[in-house]
Amino acid sequence: MAIERYNPRATEPKWQKAWDAKKLFEADNDDPRPKYYVLEMFPYPSGRIHIGHTRNYTMGDVVARYKRAKGFNVLHPMGWDAFGMPAENAAMQNKVHPKDWTYQNIAAMREQLKVMGLSLDWAREFATCDVDYYHRQQMLFLDFVEKGLVTRKSSKVNWDPEDMTVLANEQVIDGRGWRSGALVEQRELTQWFFKITDYAQDLLDSLDQLDDWPEKVKLMQQNWIGRSEGLLIRWPLATPDPGKMVAGEHELEVYTTRPDTIFGASFMAVAADHPLAKKAAEDNPALAKFIDEVHHMGTSVAALETAEKKGFDTGIRVVHPFDDTWTLPVYVANFVLMDYGTGAIFGCPSGDQRDLDFANRYGLPVIPVVMPEGENQGSFQIIDEAYTGDGVMINSRFLDGMKPDQAFDEVAKLLEQKTIGNRPMAERKVNFRLRDWGISRQRYWGCPIPMIHCEDCGVVPVPKADLPVRLPDDIEFDRPGNPLDRHPTWRHVKCPQCGKDARRETDTMDTFVDSSWYFARFTAPWANDPTDPKAATEWLPVDQYIGGIEHAILHLLYSRFFTRAMRETGHVDLAEPFKGLFTQGMVVHETYRVGSASNGRWLAPSEVRLEDVDGKRRAIEIATGEEAVIGPLEKMSKSKKNTVSPEEITDGYGADTARWFMLSDSPPERDVEWTDEGAAGAHRFIQRIWRLVSTAAETLAGTRPAAAKEGDAGVVSKAAHKALKSVGEDIEKLAFNRAIARIYELANALATPLNEVAEGKADPALKAACRQGVEVLVHLIAPVMPHLAEECWHTLGGSDLVAERPWPAYDPSLVVDSEIVLPVQVNGKKRGDLTIARDADQGAVEKAVLALDFVQKALEGKAPRKVIIVPQRIVNVVA
RNA sequence: GCGGACGUGGCGGAAUUGGUAGACGCAAGGGACUUAAAAUCCCUCGAUCUCUGAUCGUGCGGGUUCGAUCCCCGCCGUCCGCACCA
């Protein structure tokens, strides 16, 4: 009887309904089995699921399905990172309310995800814009305030002029807003901050324990936190000419990581915002003008990066800590940052390229103080390249001859003992690059910050009983800026302390706050408190977190901070939220363009026909017949139109094909190229499995599965059990491409024996082994192609669902061969093989090897110099 | 500038991290079946040569080793992160 083609369109919804009916993917917090929490970074509801999401969620789903089959109580939830600018932009452009726009998008995207057949616990779904969710976030905020983890301060902030809001440092990429792409400006504003710097050392130290995180991500976080060990040195101001006196100032505090180079110092430089600079400018119009210039030059981060190094001599002098007769000039310099260290440095031109450029420009002395080992001091000079390496100290008086790190300690020791005012002249100090996390955003579509400003009482928290602070629904988007500020009534409120008229905080929280704790909320989304600490303790940490590398710093560092802050406030009982982290690659596609670079037209993959002419690929625009230029592989983007939507695949081939293709070939951490041939190939394999299983279902009806150790049947059983072992191991390692290769191998190994069965040539042992092999195959494909697996299982006569069946156990005796094939080398080059019993001892192996024809020929009758036998691996005869 | 990763057939990639280089898939070529096509099945597929065999071959040049895709040194190239951080 002819076998009908497998029809995913009819089959897939059927099995999705069957899973739903049995609630197979809903996790029970009281289930006694060991837990496993797998999570993919939740999507922003932009409107459509794109293919990158599909790849991400498929990986998580394979892990979830596999772990479920291995007997774990699996939590695999999904939600929506739903606050943010695009909803407001849509409101301004299309007059849709951000809330309606967001929830409509969520509904559409939920349907798209359901088509993929993901084993998600939809009962726990939430969106961060749900009042229920941001209510709990406000509770957390107030708890953090109580514990002193929140501050309000005025500071220079990154201002995005297009979105008209503040951005955190992490959200500024190449001087531009991460979302709008607009050039970011510096502005002084009063903002709310989370004190992430309180945890800087802990966040750094704990990276070491994150064994299941990519090294790359840990390194990026380490650099971002940017710890440095140095010395705070207080330089006395020189006793002034009466005219050069700066009122009330006696010292200049600088931070340095190179105190060893203190005898190479030739100038001091302070930031334009430094108090000393401001004071000095009061009676120095030229300096005031320079400071003003620096401020104007520094309006954009990008301008800062390319600005020339400029300074202005304040006329102030400091005295060298080790020599009363040595004074150094104090400059205001445009390259010194007020918010790092003390906003002041000492310049050592010979040991720092930037200081050298500055010294050369302003004619300041350059004294080499560190010389490479073995160099001649008489001829060693620094002209226009600073020396920053290790070596020996020179021109440094009592430090001469020391190594720089010895000199560091010596300087620290001596200056710690000297005093200035009534403080030591120097202190060892650790500095971090990491800044506090500014969370104020001047936007409507975010979580309101639950604080009230009262003229008498100052800033007062909203009492918990008054929560949630809801976003008003009646809101206008006719002008840029913060709509909450313009709302006629919302911000008017009584002070909870004195009852007088007061004003609500109209800033909302950075959306990264929303995503910093959603993984904890998933453990008990129904809880009245932000978390149910018992459930959180049980489920957390997330065993396997999967998402894009673009969140290596932002989201992951914030979440690590938040988990610590939640522990501090009693909401969770751990510091590290994500035990295992995996960063997956992108889905890329080549681009097609008609016309020249400047006025060309991008074409979508569906608008071109690909031809193969004399081995050269050509792309032709279907509508016009014009030839298009095939461009390189790039991340799918709307602007270049090289996108493929998940529907284009699922509508034709079904979800299983999309899932299978997405995971085959490319390792999951690398980019995968979407090709039509690849998708077609994946679909061919689905049909092949279907034919194979359908045929087997007929020819093996009534046969009971059994493994065999010997003969043809043994070969089949060994192939099946070896595949079972390695596919399991590969999935544990997230090596999906390798798991898939092993599945192909098993399918290939079963094809010929199944033909023999069909032709009636098989004995009962072979039939039983084939039956078992086919059943194993069905279980192996299930994590990746769950719908096909169910259909196959059903066809084979299974009465239950594969999704609720355990992962089969392999027989250890079937994954090792009793005879092994040892490659035999002569002088390190392979000359042949030796087939011998697996348990043969070294003597027997050596004897057998030396008896081989090609070995004897190579030896020419002489005795070998050496025979190296690596058990189970290889034999090398050295002639 | 600082830090990091990577480089293997026509292509995506494997190789138990010192032990048979190229598993598995895609593409290509040949054949079978068919009136024909699609589908399917079988075979070939790193290069060169004196072709039942041999030599070369994992970006390039050295080194260590019985043996190197893997370890060491020096180059070249690609990609990524950070960047006036004192």
Side-chain angles (χ1 to χ4, degrees):
Chain A
M1 158 185 137
I3 291 161
E4 293 196 17
R5 281 177 71 78
Y6 175 70
N7 179 359
R9 241 174 305 177
T11 311
E12 292 183 346
K14 181 175 74 183
W15 295 114
Q16 287 164 12
K17 275 194 200 107
W19 299 326
D20 280 350
K22 288 194 170 180
K23 296 187 188 303
L24 289 181
F25 310 134
E26 289 186 19
D28 177 358
N29 281 7
D30 297 322
D31 191 313
R33 291 174 303 166
K35 69 97 186 180
Y36 193 90
Y37 187 176
V38 55
L39 182 67
E40 301 96 54
M41 291 179 186
F42 67 164
Y44 177 77
S46 58
R48 309 298 297 164
I49 289 290
H50 60 72
I51 206 106
H53 289 126
T54 311
R55 189 179 187 210
N56 188 184
Y57 305 146
T58 301
M59 288 177 193
D61 199 49
V62 170
V63 173
R65 287 180 181 270
Y66 170 76
K67 286 289 178 181
R68 230 176 258 120
K70 290 291 274 186
F72 287 88
N73 181 29
V74 171
L75 176 57
H76 186 214
M78 180 56 73
W80 310 94
D81 188 13
F83 273 136
M85 278 303 299
E88 284 186 57
N89 292 339
M92 283 181 256
Q93 283 156 25
N94 310 325
K95 307 243 181 286
V96 200
H97 195 282
K99 190 197 250 179
D100 298 335
W101 183 84
T102 303
Y103 282 106
Q104 279 161 19
N105 285 349
I106 288 174
M109 290 169 78
R110 187 190 299 115
E111 285 319 300
Q112 286 184 286
L113 287 187
K114 292 209 165 173
V115 169
M116 293 303 298
L118 303 166
S119 66
L120 292 163
D121 182 352
W122 286 104
R124 294 179 188 239
E125 175 194 3
F126 59 75
T128 56
C129 64
D130 294 346
V131 178
D132 264 357
Y133 185 82
Y134 72 73
H135 176 183
R136 273 69 193 194
Q137 188 159 305
Q138 291 171 343
M139 291 166 76
L140 280 177
F141 183 90
L142 294 179
D143 287 348
F144 289 5
V145 169
E146 214 165 282
K147 280 279 176 186
L149 295 167
V150 182
T151 60
R152 190 157 183 269
K153 58 188 178 189
S154 169
S155 82
K156 257 207 185 143
V157 295
N158 305 301
W159 179 260
D160 185 321
E162 194 169 314
D163 285 352
M164 294 193 63
T165 189
V166 164
L167 298 176
N169 283 336
E170 291 86 335
Q171 294 162 356
V172 179
I173 293 147
D174 293 333
R176 290 169 183 275
W178 72 292
R179 183 142 255 171
S180 71
L183 279 175
V184 167
E185 299 168 7
Q186 306 288 303
R187 278 202 188 177
E188 190 88 17
L189 274 183
T190 304
Q191 302 282 305
W192 290 97
F193 287 85
F194 282 138
K195 291 169 76 180
I196 189 170
T197 53
D198 283 6
Y199 294 90
Q201 188 69 53
D202 183 33
L203 288 168
L204 180 67
D205 292 343
S206 305
L207 287 172
D208 282 347
Q209 282 134 52
L210 296 174
D211 296 328
D212 299 329
W213 277 42
E215 285 304 318
K216 181 184 169 70
V217 173
K218 289 196 274 186
L219 198 74
M220 281 164 70
Q221 292 213 354
Q222 190 182 313
N223 290 339
W224 190 263
I225 295 168
R227 183 183 196 275
S228 69
E229 281 179 32
L231 206 61
L232 206 59
I233 305 179
R234 304 187 173 100
W235 300 59
L237 298 194
T239 323
D241 294 346
K244 295 273 172 71
M245 178 72 187
V246 183
E249 299 287 338
H250 304 286
E251 61 184 46
L252 177 60
E253 205 174 52
V254 308
Y255 175 75
T256 178
T257 55
R258 295 294 305 274
D260 48 299
T261 64
I262 195 159
F263 289 103
S266 62
F267 66 95
M268 314 296 284
V270 301
D273 297 321
H274 195 276
L276 196 62
K278 287 183 181 166
K279 283 201 178 167
E282 281 169 15
D283 50 7
N284 186 342
L287 176 57
K289 189 166 166 266
F290 175 77
I291 290 175
D292 196 47
E293 271 171 31
V294 173
H295 279 142
H296 275 95
M297 198 161 53
T299 49
S300 84
V301 175
L304 269 180
E305 277 166 13
T306 50
E308 233 180 318
K309 283 151 198 49
K310 280 189 185 163
F312 192 97
D313 188 352
T314 60
I316 301 167
R317 297 290 177 269
V318 295
V319 182
H320 197 278
F322 290 114
D323 185 345
D324 295 345
T325 66
W326 181 356
T327 62
L328 297 93
V330 179
Y331 281 77
V332 173
N334 63 350
F335 60 86
V336 180
L337 307 172
M338 191 56 226
D339 56 354
Y340 185 80
T342 62
I345 60 161
F346 81 75
C348 172
S350 63
D352 183 292
Q353 190 59 45
R354 193 195 47 206
D355 292 349
L356 182 61
D357 294 343
F358 190 83
N360 285 341
R361 180 173 177 142
Y362 292 101
L364 296 160
V366 179
I367 311 156
V369 283
V370 182
M371 181 181 74
E373 208 96 41
E375 192 77 36
N376 180 340
Q377 191 178 339
S379 59
F380 182 68
Q381 295 186 65
I382 300 282
I383 308 289
D384 51 16
E385 201 168 320
Y387 179 70
T388 55
D390 203 6
V392 278
M393 304 305 303
I394 53 170
N395 301 324
S396 295
R397 309 191 188 182
F398 55 89
L399 301 175
D400 282 353
M402 291 184 186
K403 307 271 282 173
D405 45 349
Q406 281 177 290
F408 183 119
D409 290 340
E410 186 67 16
V411 168
K413 197 181 82 192
L414 293 170
L415 290 183
E416 275 163 355
Q417 287 158 10
K418 290 184 141 194
T419 55
I420 175 167
N422 47 15
R423 292 190 293 178
M425 210 171 222
E427 286 171 45
R428 286 180 184 268
K429 180 146 200 292
V430 170
N431 237 318
F432 293 96
R433 210 187 70 106
L434 183 70
R435 309 295 151 82
D436 278 332
W437 173 17
I439 58 151
S440 294
R441 298 291 181 272
Q442 292 69 41
R443 306 303 331 164
Y444 164 75
W445 195 231
C447 172
I449 295 175
M451 298 300 257
I452 292 167
H453 301 274
C454 170
E455 266 181 37
D456 293 350
C457 309
V459 184
V460 182
V462 174
K464 276 203 183 166
D466 294 353
L467 293 183
V469 177
R470 286 170 183 269
L471 288 170
D473 282 335
D474 52 332
I475 197 87
E476 298 292 331
F477 291 96
D478 46 355
R479 278 170 289 166
N482 185 355
L484 286 175
D485 255 349
R486 302 190 304 263
H487 192 276
T489 57
W490 188 77
R491 55 192 218 144
H492 301 303
V493 66
K494 298 288 181 204
C495 169
Q497 264 175 34
C498 67
K500 272 181 59 178
D501 284 348
R503 180 175 61 81
R504 259 189 212 293
E505 172 66 65
T506 54
D507 284 355
T508 52
M509 294 185 210
D510 179 5
T511 57
F512 276 96
V513 178
D514 312 340
S515 54
S516 291
W517 70 286
Y518 78 107
F519 48 88
R521 184 70 188 166
F522 274 138
T523 64
W526 47 77
N528 255 322
D529 288 325
T531 66
D532 169 353
K534 184 173 166 282
T537 302
E538 222 130 274
W539 283 114
L540 293 174
V542 174
D543 292 277
Q544 187 62 63
Y545 196 35
I546 308 176
I549 186 77
E550 67 273 20
H551 292 111
I553 297 169
L554 298 170
H555 162 59
L556 291 168
L557 191 61
Y558 292 153
S559 297
R560 294 181 63 220
F561 157 72
F562 232 79
T563 307
R564 284 163 170 77
M566 287 171 78
R567 181 175 62 176
E568 197 89 8
T569 48
H571 295 290
V572 299
D573 190 23
L574 80 169
E576 290 297 340
F578 311 120
K579 181 174 177 292
L581 172 71
F582 188 84
T583 52
Q584 100 276 6
M586 298 181 299
V587 181
V588 294
H589 198 288
E590 58 190 15
T591 55
Y592 310 103
R593 189 170 57 188
V594 193
S596 66
S598 49
N599 56 14
R601 240 167 348 107
W602 297 101
L603 298 179
S606 55
E607 294 173 307
V608 301
R609 183 180 65 240
L610 292 169
E611 291 177 351
D612 213 7
V613 184
D614 303 329
K616 275 205 153 186
R617 294 178 65 240
R618 298 187 345 149
I620 310 293
E621 181 175 17
I622 295 167
T624 62
E626 248 185 285
E627 179 162 1
V629 178
I630 301 181
L633 296 175
E634 287 187 59
K635 181 183 181 175
M636 290 191 181
S637 74
K638 277 182 204 156
S639 60
K640 296 197 174 161
K641 290 180 86 176
N642 61 337
T643 55
V644 176
S645 74
E647 282 86 357
E648 287 175 50
I649 306 119
T650 50
D651 286 357
Y653 291 136
D656 284 341
T657 296
R659 294 168 61 117
W660 183 261
F661 173 68
M662 214 87 67
L663 298 187
S664 28
D665 293 355
S666 286
E669 69 276 12
R670 278 196 225 169
D671 292 349
V672 63
E673 184 195 356
W674 183 270
T675 62
D676 288 345
E677 292 89 351
H683 189 67
R684 266 202 306 276
F685 184 64
I686 285 188
Q687 296 296 350
R688 191 168 153 224
I689 295 274
W690 175 242
R691 276 194 309 278
L692 196 142
V693 173
S694 319
T695 314
E698 284 173 36
T699 56
L700 292 173
T703 302
R704 290 173 62 91
K709 308 228 166 180
E710 307 294 332
D712 289 351
V715 172
V716 169
S717 292
K718 280 176 183 167
H721 284 251
K722 282 179 180 172
L724 194 46
K725 177 171 189 280
S726 45
V727 169
E729 288 168 355
D730 287 337
I731 293 177
E732 300 265 5
K733 285 185 277 195
L734 308 182
F736 306 114
N737 57 322
R738 296 210 299 250
I740 281 175
R742 299 288 86 82
I743 292 172
Y744 274 116
E745 278 175 357
L746 178 58
N748 291 344
L750 288 173
T752 309
L754 279 173
N755 274 338
E756 286 176 27
V757 171
E759 288 162 19
K761 293 187 204 154
D763 62 14
L766 184 57
K767 285 176 82 172
C770 281
R771 174 90 202 185
Q772 191 188 53
V774 170
E775 291 189 4
V776 164
L777 180 67
V778 170
H779 284 78
L780 290 183
I781 62 168
V784 189
M785 305 195 286
H787 311 90
L788 176 66
E790 297 292 359
E791 190 69 18
C792 287
W793 188 240
H794 178 70
T795 303
L796 286 170
S799 54
D800 51 356
L801 296 171
V802 181
E804 55 187 341
R805 290 181 56 82
W807 193 253
Y810 66 85
D811 178 345
S813 71
L814 287 170
V815 297
V816 289
D817 296 309
S818 54
E819 285 208 321
I820 52 173
V821 179
L822 278 181
V824 177
Q825 297 180 331
V826 177
N827 294 330
K829 284 195 176 145
K830 193 196 164 193
R831 295 293 140 160
D833 295 311
L834 171 69
T835 305
I836 196 163
R838 185 186 177 77
D839 50 10
D841 62 32
Q842 301 240 341
V845 172
E846 181 164 345
K847 210 172 142 193
V849 164
L850 293 177
L852 291 167
D853 280 355
F854 61 88
V855 174
Q856 293 209 333
K857 207 168 138 196
L859 287 175
E860 294 166 339
K862 289 178 227 147
R865 295 220 328 258
K866 211 183 206 179
V867 179
I868 293 149
I869 298 167
V870 184
Q872 320 288 324
R873 280 279 152 79
I874 202 164
V875 181
N876 190 10
V877 178
V878 186

